[in-house]
Amino acid sequence: LAEAWNQRAISQFNLKRYTAAIGDCRQALELNPYHFAAAVGMGQCHIEKGEDRMALECFQRALQLNRNLEGVRACVRYLQRALEDR
């Protein structure tokens, strides 16, 4: 069931409905707290909304769940630097 919510979040993201997608990612994570793809998706939505601090938190959560996400690790480093520069 968690994956169904994640797939719906992907559809919402593709339709640029980022707030709805975030809600769907939350549902996926509530049902499966280890669903790292939902955490990544939520982070991507926050990026699109210009919410870098929230995106960073989501990406860090995803890395706690799966430390092999090199692209996410690069996003974390980028966001940390960007937030420090502000």
Side-chain angles (χ1 to χ4, degrees):
L1 193 54
E3 184 56 26
W5 282 103
N6 187 56
Q7 290 299 314
R8 187 173 123 154
I10 292 168
S11 295
Q12 298 283 19
F13 181 89
N14 289 331
L15 293 170
K16 300 185 186 319
R17 297 179 183 161
Y18 305 120
T19 301
I22 289 168
D24 290 347
C25 289
R26 281 194 182 116
Q27 277 296 126
L29 285 162
E30 192 158 317
L31 291 167
N32 178 0
Y34 301 101
H35 201 302
F36 62 87
V40 173
M42 193 182 319
Q44 291 171 333
C45 291
H46 284 297
I47 289 283
E48 291 297 325
K49 293 180 70 176
E51 300 169 346
D52 292 352
R53 194 166 307 281
M54 294 296 295
L56 177 59
E57 290 176 18
C58 293
F59 291 148
Q60 288 172 328
R61 179 177 182 177
L63 283 176
Q64 287 175 349
L65 298 172
N66 182 345
R67 46 182 248 221
N68 297 317
L69 302 170
E70 291 307 319
V72 173
R73 188 177 315 283
C75 288
V76 165
R77 285 192 299 266
Y78 171 81
L79 288 169
Q80 285 172 330
R81 273 182 263 146
L83 289 167
E84 286 173 6
D85 291 342
R86 290 186 187 161

